Amino acid sequence: MPAHADNTLVIGAEVWSPVDGAMVRMAAAPSIGDLQDRFRAGQPEGLSVLVENSAADKLPTLLKLDDADAIAWVWPVIDRDQVNSVVVMYFSNAGDVTAAVELWSGRPGRSELCLADACYTGLGRFAKLSPHISFPKGSGLPGLTWETNIPQVLEGLGTSPTFMRATGAESEGLGVGFALPCIAGSSLQAVTLLLSGTASPIARAYETWLPQQRGDSLRLARIDGAYIASPALEKASTQLDVPAGDTWIGRAWATRKPEVVCDSTGQSLERKGAVEDGLTSGTAIPIIILDDVAAVAVIMW
Amino acid sequence: MSQFGNSYVELDRLVKAYPNPRGEATRVVDGFSTKIAEGEFVSVIGHSGCGKSTVLTMLAGLNDVTSGNIILAGKEVSGAGPDRAVVFQSPCLLPWMSAFDNVMLGVKRCYPKATRLERKQLVEYFLSIVGLGDAMHKYPKELSGGMQQRVGIARAIALRPKMLLLDEPFGKLDSLTRMDLQETVLNLLNEHRITTMMITHDVDEAIFMSDRVVMMTNGPRAKVGQVLDIPFERPRNRVDVLGDEMYYDFRGCLIDFLEGQDRRKHGEPDASMPEPKPVTKPETVQDLMLVQSPAEVSAV
């Protein structure tokens, strides 16, 4: 069953930045007003505390907003040991959908990534087993992300040799995954996995962009991507690169801060095919290791 | 989910390479890493020939490490020593000695200052707790396979090792004897809390006995593929474990992993099965240190 914009699980994204010692909501997609209305019941005060804590601990966090049937995923962007921004993404947790948002991190006395927190929707055995499983460096999607230090896009979870929980993914209908490393300096803080079926995807497109030398200039190039029910976008995205500062993705690289874009037409995504496929919003998250932006993770819906 | 804290044993990026006929080094084990807490029971499972026993013999000091480190109780391990007692599939008893004398052999070495009476009491104690109180003066040829293995276990435990290494210790036994001996070992470990690593092919045995099961990928270049925590309370009772709602989920998880490895080993994936994800890593990016977050698991 093809996905459409209205069954995507992403509800919106925000960027918070430190201002005078406090975290302040700076940008959102859709608009800040819309998101605030949507999550007024979802304890915004609690959310701001969560953002503050995430920034202080330099650790990503999940919050289940029961009143709003939603999940908030809180993700600090750490640049030279300082949190320069916090991305908050809201995912719908309602209805007949199959999805997981997982946070994997280290644990004292262990050499693997263990499940630190997770929200599962429509999953049975997969959700029961995952807290008991851990992945060493290089193994499974979390371990691969740890080994490469860059966001990983993985399609066909049910048959992929890379996805160690493939049998569970296949039997429970998980099809596509996106993994992002949260890095502070040269330390891996955590890995987030966004997993969903293709009928009700968390987002419509996931991309990994890396800085690459092209002739005399360093450009940002799309090296991997998954597109769900977005054929025009997929076709237009196979070979793309942008200079630093160009488009919202290039800006995330140049400014080292996350970007969120949104408009009802999809024009602000600045990508051929996005309008045709009905995508309207996106977020670009820089992955900074020591002094360099090693990659930019892009999520569009 | 494990109740264990800091690591007591650390296997850090262990590599074992052997020269192949072309003179190149073939890495049988390539980067095996895990940490084991004091008193923890860890099983290692994987297909035949994947390198499980190679890891165990490196830890035992019976097989040189090509690269990597082994730390036991804060000290780097090099060579064999009585701080790591090994029980193999075959008990390897000295046939001209009684069960008592086979156990006494190690006790004499480990307790040089003990009196003769103290050593005798130690040997009798360990033989009796493995159920050989009435057969301790029998010779190996007079003992069944299971009884011989009990002597091997008593001999290992009597050394009071920091670590017990079990290399498919029940592999040659019939199923009833195997179950009986599994319970004997668990009872022993409940009493003596020895940190243990066991190599096994048997997923039920691994679940019943372990706090954690380390799943190894197929060799060559084998390493840890996935780890499964087994949270069942101790002391364990087989009926309770088998009746636990998670038992068959854990079993399915281990079998799924082994079947996945089997498909790759035999090249059987169907045509639609994608290749493993290639590792693309920016050249400028160094290896990241993993932050040891104290976060607890709380799936909601």
Side-chain angles (χ1 to χ4, degrees):
Chain A
M1 182 178 120
H4 302 288
D6 58 0
N7 68 356
T8 306
L9 302 186
V10 181
I11 298 163
E14 301 170 339
V15 174
W16 297 55
S17 295
V19 177
D20 297 332
M23 298 303 293
V24 177
R25 201 186 256 114
M26 304 296 283
S31 73
I32 288 175
D34 288 348
L35 281 181
Q36 281 181 328
D37 286 346
R38 177 80 165 80
F39 293 110
R40 187 154 291 144
Q43 50 185 318
E45 297 83 6
L47 188 68
S48 83
V49 170
L50 203 69
V51 170
E52 298 276 358
N53 289 345
S54 178
D57 298 340
K58 296 177 186 157
L59 285 171
T61 318
L62 290 176
L63 177 66
K64 198 168 183 181
L65 304 162
D66 287 327
D67 295 341
D69 279 334
I71 296 159
W73 171 56
V74 183
W75 185 260
V77 176
I78 304 153
D79 187 359
R80 300 183 185 98
D81 213 33
Q82 299 293 318
V83 172
N84 75 25
S85 315
V86 173
V87 178
V88 181
M89 291 194 76
Y90 299 95
F91 306 121
S92 170
N93 195 28
D96 186 19
V97 298
T98 304
V101 182
E102 298 179 326
L103 295 181
W104 296 83
S105 65
R107 192 180 296 170
R110 298 293 291 267
S111 52
E112 307 96 28
L113 281 168
C114 304
L115 193 68
D117 204 351
C119 289
Y120 297 105
T121 305
L123 291 166
R125 182 173 170 235
F126 189 92
K128 272 168 65 186
L129 262 177
S130 295
H132 302 285
I133 292 173
S134 50
F135 294 102
K137 189 176 191 175
S139 188
L141 192 50
L144 181 68
T145 310
W146 177 13
E147 184 174 35
T148 59
N149 310 325
I150 60 172
Q152 296 291 329
V153 179
L154 196 60
E155 295 180 271
L157 295 182
T159 53
S160 171
T162 300
F163 197 71
M164 289 287 178
R165 295 173 286 168
T167 306
E170 186 174 28
S171 62
E172 303 202 45
L174 290 173
V176 62
F178 192 43
L180 296 94
C182 179
I183 295 163
S186 61
S187 300
L188 182 74
Q189 303 288 95
V191 171
T192 286
L193 259 55
L194 306 177
L195 311 171
S196 64
T198 50
S200 53
I202 287 178
R204 298 274 297 282
Y206 305 107
E207 294 175 339
T208 301
W209 292 65
L210 296 186
Q212 293 192 344
Q213 196 70 35
R214 297 281 162 90
D216 292 337
S217 62
L218 190 65
R219 295 173 71 88
L220 195 63
R222 192 215 72 112
I223 59 133
D224 203 359
Y227 306 89
I228 300 115
S230 306
L233 181 70
E234 182 169 10
K235 190 175 174 187
S237 304
T238 50
Q239 285 193 322
L240 280 179
D241 61 31
V242 295
D246 205 13
T247 80
W248 55 292
I249 297 170
R251 279 200 302 278
W253 178 34
T255 64
R256 308 162 76 91
K257 291 184 174 177
E259 289 274 329
V260 291
V261 293
C262 176
D263 68 57
S264 56
T265 67
Q267 296 289 348
S268 59
L269 289 172
E270 301 174 86
R271 183 81 62 86
K272 286 179 184 171
V275 175
E276 189 180 332
D277 286 334
L279 281 79
T280 61
S281 311
T283 183
I285 303 173
I287 308 295
I288 303 168
I289 303 177
L290 295 173
D291 287 336
D292 300 316
V293 179
V296 175
V298 170
I299 301 170
M300 291 185 278
W301 62 97
Chain B
M1 296 296 285
S2 168
Q3 74 272 37
F4 297 95
N6 292 330
S7 62
Y8 183 68
V9 183
E10 185 167 351
L11 310 182
D12 183 28
R13 290 169 285 180
L14 289 188
V15 174
K16 182 66 192 180
Y18 294 101
N20 66 17
R22 295 187 298 279
E24 301 155 340
T26 299
R27 291 182 172 215
V28 177
V29 175
D30 190 13
F32 184 103
S33 296
T34 198
K35 292 176 180 175
I36 306 173
E38 187 169 11
E40 194 174 13
F41 191 122
V42 170
S43 287
V44 180
I45 66 162
H47 283 291
S48 297
C50 77
K52 304 184 294 293
S53 293
T54 303
V55 170
L56 184 131
T57 53
M58 284 194 284
L59 178 49
L62 303 171
N63 196 349
D64 289 340
V65 174
T66 304
S67 67
N69 298 297
I70 300 172
I71 309 286
L72 171 60
K75 290 183 183 168
E76 183 148 9
V77 164
S78 62
D83 57 346
R84 282 150 290 140
V86 189
V87 177
F88 293 104
Q89 197 175 67
S90 297
C92 306
L93 303 178
L94 299 176
W96 62 89
M97 287 185 171
S98 68
F100 182 93
D101 290 336
N102 266 283
V103 177
M104 179 60 87
L105 208 58
V107 168
K108 272 184 183 167
R109 186 177 165 198
C110 290
Y111 303 93
K113 291 179 183 171
T115 64
R116 177 183 276 192
L117 177 63
E118 285 168 340
R119 287 180 195 158
K120 177 174 178 285
Q121 286 172 338
L122 265 174
V123 173
E124 287 174 349
Y125 168 72
F126 283 106
L127 281 169
S128 63
I129 58 175
V130 296
L132 292 178
D134 296 332
M136 58 178 72
H137 296 294
K138 289 190 173 176
Y139 286 84
K141 66 181 179 188
E142 300 173 291
L143 301 171
S144 69
M147 291 168 87
Q148 289 185 30
Q149 195 60 309
R150 285 174 195 273
V151 178
I153 291 164
R155 183 176 57 185
I157 305 276
L159 302 179
R160 300 277 177 97
K162 290 178 178 164
M163 187 157 199
L164 180 64
L165 302 170
L166 307 173
D167 192 357
E168 299 185 49
F170 317 117
K172 283 189 169 176
L173 306 176
D174 65 81
S175 57
L176 282 177
T177 307
R178 170 189 287 241
M179 286 194 286
D180 194 27
L181 214 46
Q182 287 167 354
E183 284 167 15
T184 300
V185 169
L186 282 190
N187 291 337
L188 260 169
L189 295 177
N190 287 338
E191 197 164 332
H192 295 276
R193 265 199 108 230
I194 302 169
T195 309
T196 303
M197 176 187 273
M198 179 175 74
I199 305 300
T200 183
H201 281 110
D202 185 332
V203 295
D204 296 301
E205 180 172 282
I207 296 168
F208 177 54
M209 299 190 74
S210 314
D211 299 302
R212 195 146 48 95
V213 183
V214 171
M215 294 169 246
M216 270 184 87
T217 62
N218 281 344
R221 303 185 72 95
K223 59 180 183 174
V224 178
Q226 190 171 306
V227 179
L228 179 68
D229 286 343
I230 309 290
F232 299 141
E233 295 283 319
R234 291 190 187 275
R236 286 185 187 168
N237 171 293
R238 193 180 297 274
V239 174
D240 291 345
V241 168
L242 286 171
D244 192 285
E245 60 167 352
M246 287 301 292
Y247 181 84
Y248 286 97
D249 291 318
F250 292 147
R251 195 172 191 278
C253 175
L254 297 176
I255 289 171
D256 288 346
F257 177 86
L258 292 172
E259 284 182 346
Q261 295 297 311
D262 206 33
R263 281 196 296 273
R264 279 184 231 183
K265 184 177 173 183
H266 295 107
E268 285 174 3
D270 59 49
S272 63
M273 191 169 178
E275 287 294 307
K277 178 102 178 165
V279 174
T280 305
K281 183 174 181 174
E283 287 177 9
T284 54
V285 172
Q286 59 181 16
D287 281 347
L288 296 184
M289 183 182 76
L290 178 62
V291 172
Q292 302 286 300
S293 163
E296 281 298 311
V297 173
S298 58
V300 292

